[in-house]
Amino acid sequence: MSVRRTTTLAGVVALALGMGAIAAPPALAHGRGGGTSPEKFAQQISTRSVMRHLEAFERVAERNDGNRAALTSGYEDSARYVERTLRKAGYTTTRDPFTFDQEIVDAASLTVTGGATYEVDQMEFAPSTAEGGVTAPVSVPADPLGCAPEAWAGVDVAGTIAVVSRGTCPFATKATVAEAAGAVGVVVYNNTTGMLFGTLGAEGLVTVPVAGATQADGQAIVAAAAAGPVEVTLDTRFHTETAESFNVIAETRKGRDDNVVMLGAHLDSVEDGAGINDNGTGSAVVLEVAVQLAKQKKLNNTVRFAWWGAEELGLIGSTAYVEELATQEGELDRIATYLNFDMVGSPNYVIGVYDADESTYPAPVPVPDGSVATEEVFTGWFDSIDQPWVDSQFSGRSDYQAFIANGVPASGLFTGADGAKTEEEVALFGGTAGIPYDPNYHSPADDLSNVDRTALGIMAKAVGFATASLAQDTSAINGVSGPGDQGGHGKPWKPGKGRHGDGKGARVFEDAA
């Protein structure tokens, strides 16, 4: 799960008790079209088979420097495994290439003269330093947040590197206030654990370097400055290079071309580990569903599967794919709904469904028509088997973002990342309150031992049920039911030529405050 170049979902996807779930419509519950019923198909998605795919992904990582990150041999080998498995099941696979501007970090440090060196992250839209960085004394505002000129009253700021805390106001405000007071550099440290990955929101707001730091490192600098003068060197520089990666796409041979149900999961990991929960689990579940669906004798609708590239660098593969479809007349209209699966085996799990009906969380992004009906396929399944579930914010902070931005209905499942589990969630699912849903999120410990088999099995069967249901009938979503005229099938979507532009948006950041 992503948000940025170092990467990830830095923001917490909050979860709370699901409310107002309703059972799946009868048409979805009984498998129209003569194939295996969705309920029976769900049972064909075995945890053991999904685990075999995860074991293969872990072997890939072990052979490739411990990760499966975009632009690495580990990603290439992961894709080859998916392609081999699909071809064995009878699919034709397509590599969907895209290019993008990749930021290469040349320097990202804050060094105390004669002391420690701390890692920092250059904020988006902040100028780079000259080679060797900027060396200056540290200044700290009387109000550590530094949101207004009054915060610097009585402090000699001129020619210093200002060190301020995150909170209350946007990062750009902190930076512009400090620069106006005379600072030659700004470091904003986090107000919670982890590195602060931030953005100023626009070009040209400041002329001095601005960086994010961890809470512990920032507080250490502040404490040292309180004890006496401290001089530091802030060095933040990067350059861009054009990079190319690819998505893997496959679709069923059966089903009407004009009504496509699409499933996706990102295939890449972060560089720090094998990414077996994030997102080997989603990739493995989608893969096993594809394998089993290929055995079905009759499908009313085409089902298309995607394994996205460069998600951890900023949702790049899925965004490029949707942007190209948007240039091809009618292609996006063919997609009835998109289902996203990103982290479905967290060790301290919840059973989360994207909250399209906003029954628990207001959505910070547009919710396309049809998304609520898609959500109800999942919640109806869980209710029918007495499986507790909770809402997960419909935030757009995974590979469904580009789809919903272009009006395609979407939903998905999520077992949690770096948010803290609540007592209410423990009552529903067990586990431990007050610690992350996945304590090994984006770390080298995200290996096979990090996956909860119970959560994985629950989610895998839910994906199977939803896929089989929608493969037969999407009328609750878009009014389309029945097989239609399938005579034109055999012309699946293929990537265009001269693809995808410059991949702007290769970094997605936390909110600017």
Side-chain angles (χ1 to χ4, degrees):
M1 214 169 190
S2 152
V3 265
R4 55 173 293 103
R5 124 187 103 171
T6 60
T7 98
T8 81
L9 189 51
V12 173
V13 178
L15 294 165
L17 297 181
M19 301 173 61
I22 64 174
L28 299 184
H30 298 294
R32 295 171 62 181
T36 302
S37 74
E39 295 88 349
K40 290 182 179 179
F41 183 77
Q43 302 311 314
Q44 295 174 14
I45 314 303
S46 74
T47 307
R48 178 178 296 180
S49 295
V50 175
M51 288 295 295
R52 281 199 290 267
H53 300 316
L54 291 180
E55 289 165 1
F57 290 145
E58 182 150 277
R59 288 193 296 271
V60 164
E62 289 171 351
R63 295 193 302 266
N64 291 278
D65 300 319
N67 71 75
R68 303 180 301 103
L71 309 176
T72 70
S73 57
Y75 182 77
E76 171 67 29
D77 285 357
S78 295
R80 288 179 179 176
Y81 174 77
V82 169
E83 291 164 334
R84 287 196 305 270
T85 304
L86 291 170
R87 286 196 292 267
K88 185 176 179 180
Y91 290 92
T92 298
T93 63
T94 300
R95 288 198 174 188
D96 172 43
F98 55 87
T99 59
F100 60 99
D101 288 341
Q102 181 189 21
E103 291 187 359
I104 308 298
V105 175
D106 299 312
S109 64
L110 181 69
T111 302
V112 178
T113 301
T117 295
Y118 302 102
E119 181 182 356
V120 296
D121 186 82
Q122 183 174 354
M123 286 200 184
E124 187 186 28
F125 302 121
S128 292
T129 64
E131 187 171 354
V134 176
T135 300
V138 166
S139 63
V140 179
D143 175 353
L145 297 174
C147 289
E150 294 76 21
W152 292 99
V155 179
D156 185 7
V157 190
T160 67
I161 292 175
V163 179
V164 301
S165 174
R166 178 184 187 175
T168 303
C169 63
F171 304 137
T173 299
K174 299 175 188 290
T176 55
V177 167
E179 183 180 25
V184 296
V186 181
V187 175
V188 183
Y189 59 90
N190 214 340
N191 56 5
T192 186
T193 56
M195 178 63 70
L196 192 158
F197 302 116
T199 177
L200 298 180
E203 296 277 5
L205 297 180
V206 296
T207 62
V208 299
V210 184
T214 67
Q215 183 178 44
D217 293 348
Q219 289 177 342
I221 296 288
V222 169
V230 174
E231 183 181 74
V232 296
T233 299
L234 177 61
D235 195 0
T236 52
R237 293 172 283 119
F238 73 93
H239 70 279
T240 60
E241 296 178 359
T242 299
E244 181 173 312
S245 189
F246 59 91
N247 308 309
V248 176
I249 310 290
E251 63 180 35
T252 57
R253 298 179 183 275
K254 306 179 184 71
R256 57 190 295 171
D257 281 341
D258 62 348
N259 201 49
V260 177
V261 175
M262 191 162 186
L263 287 69
H266 75 85
L267 185 58
D268 60 317
S269 74
V270 295
E271 292 182 0
D272 287 342
I276 300 303
N277 186 34
D278 183 18
N279 183 37
T281 53
S283 293
V285 167
V286 172
L287 182 57
E288 185 59 23
V289 169
V291 168
Q292 296 304 322
L293 197 67
K295 301 174 184 178
Q296 298 302 299
K297 295 181 179 179
K298 183 176 179 62
L299 300 174
N300 287 340
N301 302 313
T302 295
V303 180
R304 184 180 300 165
F305 304 92
W307 289 265
W308 305 118
E311 189 269 358
E312 295 289 6
L313 301 181
L315 314 180
I316 296 174
S318 57
T319 300
Y321 175 84
V322 174
E323 287 180 349
E324 177 169 318
L325 288 193
T327 69
Q328 301 175 17
E329 185 176 358
E331 282 296 328
L332 282 178
D333 294 337
R334 292 173 59 199
I335 301 177
T337 191
Y338 170 71
L339 310 179
N340 194 69
F341 307 106
D342 192 348
M343 301 180 67
V344 291
S346 302
N348 196 32
Y349 71 90
V350 294
I351 301 302
V353 184
Y354 294 175
D355 187 15
D357 64 5
E358 302 177 87
S359 58
T360 301
Y361 304 107
V365 293
V367 180
D369 291 344
S371 299
V372 173
T374 307
E375 176 191 3
E376 290 170 352
V377 178
F378 292 113
T379 59
W381 163 252
F382 288 138
D383 289 344
S384 74
I385 62 171
D386 296 322
Q387 170 60 54
W389 56 274
V390 296
D391 280 321
S392 173
Q393 187 181 43
F394 195 94
S395 64
R397 300 190 76 151
S398 188
D399 284 305
Y400 64 111
Q401 181 185 63
F403 288 90
I404 62 176
N406 284 273
V408 177
S411 189
L413 301 177
F414 181 49
T415 53
D418 54 354
K421 195 168 192 178
T422 67
E423 293 286 358
E424 293 83 1
E425 291 164 346
V426 170
L428 290 173
F429 308 109
T432 304
I435 68 169
Y437 304 107
D438 186 349
N440 300 311
Y441 173 59
H442 281 187
S443 81
D446 185 7
D447 55 23
L448 202 61
S449 67
N450 188 48
V451 173
D452 188 282
R453 291 176 62 103
T454 298
L456 186 68
I458 292 168
M459 291 305 211
K461 286 177 170 50
V463 176
F465 173 83
T467 303
S469 295
L470 296 171
Q472 303 303 350
D473 187 357
T474 62
S475 59
I477 297 168
N478 64 356
V480 177
S481 62
D485 179 7
Q486 299 184 53
H489 207 281
K491 296 181 180 180
W493 176 86
K494 293 183 179 181
K497 298 180 180 179
R499 304 196 27 115
H500 285 315
D502 61 6
K504 297 297 185 185
R507 296 200 286 170
V508 179
F509 297 85
E510 294 187 29
D511 296 336

